[in-house]
Amino acid sequence: MKKLVLLGALALSVLSLPTFADEKPLKIGIEAAYPPFASKAPDGSIVGFDYDIGNALCAEMKVKCVWVEQEFDGLIPALKVRKIDAILSSMSITDDRKKSVDFTNKYYNTPARLVMKEGTVVSDNLSELKGKKIGVQRGSIHNRFAEEVLKPLGAEIKPYGSQNEIYLDVAAGRLDGTVADATLLQDGFLKTDSGKGFAFVGPQFTDEKYFGDGIGIAVRKGDKADLDKINAAIVAIRANGTYKQIQDKYFDFDIYGK
């Protein structure tokens, strides 16, 4: 009888232990082609702000991160078929995307900009873009913005699979410019050797219709459990200083925004 009591007590103690080790891993989709947010190191590992934020959130939630690489325009389809549980890949929170996924609160917010040859004049009405070839990443908010705003002004819009491909064609003169996230353009192109001779031109683009109200993490429609956990983790890493430590590793300004 004493053995049975002891075994029962042991069983209860095991059940009462923290269960996060047995939690299912969180499969996070990312496109590793957006330095400094996500890119590949020489050894093939993923590095960048998005990657570090994701790992910090998983540590806060006490779950294992499993990173799944995917081209950007395939991320939402992958989420819908449960290949991944969340998207953490600098995805803007927009009304259009909210029809397909649920978003956490923002984890950063920066404007979109246009990059062209240094010295190119582009006024606020963007009339100088008539006849210019502008590269955009296929499936991105910048793709939609370019098609609906720049194309009617006479710009020729060229969609690409990745922003890195766009940089190559801008540097080679096959494109006149590109529109994308300002921080991405600065660190991924303008600060590199390939970006010498190019600069930001024209106004900042912040229209909520296209650029939403920040960058969030997407989960499947109705996945309130993961949504609430991730939102709580975002609040926690901002409060305990982890967010600032990661931010300061990549940026010399407050990327979270207002």
Side-chain angles (χ1 to χ4, degrees), residues 141-201:
I141 55 170
H142 308 98
N143 190 165
R144 182 187 171 210
F145 170 75
E147 290 287 345
E148 296 185 11
V149 176
L150 306 185
K151 188 174 181 178
L153 296 173
E156 188 177 346
I157 307 306
K158 300 283 188 180
Y160 284 72
S162 77
Q163 195 65 35
N164 287 335
E165 293 175 62
I166 296 172
Y167 296 151
L168 290 173
D169 278 3
V170 170
R174 289 184 287 269
L175 289 171
D176 295 299
T178 180
V179 62
D181 177 84
T183 309
L184 172 69
L185 290 169
Q186 180 173 291
D187 288 80
F189 185 60
L190 295 179
K191 286 186 177 180
T192 69
D193 289 340
S194 298
K196 288 179 179 176
F198 294 89
F200 288 127
V201 300

Side-chain angles (χ1 to χ4, degrees), residues 165-252:
E165 293 175 62
I166 296 172
Y167 296 151
L168 290 173
D169 278 3
V170 170
R174 289 184 287 269
L175 289 171
D176 295 299
T178 180
V179 62
D181 177 84
T183 309
L184 172 69
L185 290 169
Q186 180 173 291
D187 288 80
F189 185 60
L190 295 179
K191 286 186 177 180
T192 69
D193 289 340
S194 298
K196 288 179 179 176
F198 294 89
F200 288 127
V201 300
Q204 292 188 4
F205 303 122
T206 58
D207 188 341
E208 285 189 13
K209 176 182 177 182
Y210 299 102
F211 305 109
D213 45 10
I215 306 297
I217 300 165
V219 299
R220 274 184 295 278
K221 272 286 185 187
D223 185 2
K224 190 173 185 301
D226 279 336
L227 191 72
D228 290 346
K229 287 178 186 176
I230 297 171
N231 270 331
I234 292 172
V235 171
I237 66 169
R238 281 191 51 76
N240 65 23
T242 302
Y243 183 96
K244 189 175 188 307
Q245 287 179 353
I246 296 170
Q247 170 189 275
D248 291 350
K249 179 179 173 182
Y250 297 98
F251 313 110
D252 56 4

Side-chain angles (χ1 to χ4, degrees), residues 52-101:
D52 288 355
I53 288 291
N55 286 329
L57 292 173
C58 285
E60 183 65 35
M61 294 184 290
K62 296 182 172 59
V63 297
K64 180 183 178 182
C65 274
V66 175
W67 292 92
V68 180
E69 288 187 61
Q70 180 84 44
E71 286 197 359
F72 191 83
D73 58 359
L75 286 169
I76 289 179
L79 182 66
K80 287 183 172 181
V81 299
R82 297 179 179 271
K83 181 180 177 182
I84 55 177
D85 303 308
I87 299 168
L88 204 167
S89 195
S90 291
M91 184 170 280
S92 295
I93 304 167
T94 66
D95 288 339
D96 190 49
R97 285 183 177 142
K98 284 178 184 176
K99 297 172 185 175
S100 301
V101 301

Side-chain angles (χ1 to χ4, degrees), residues 4-19:
L4 288 174
V5 171
L6 179 60
L7 287 171
L10 285 171
L12 285 172
S13 68
V14 169
L15 288 173
S16 66
L17 289 172
T19 59

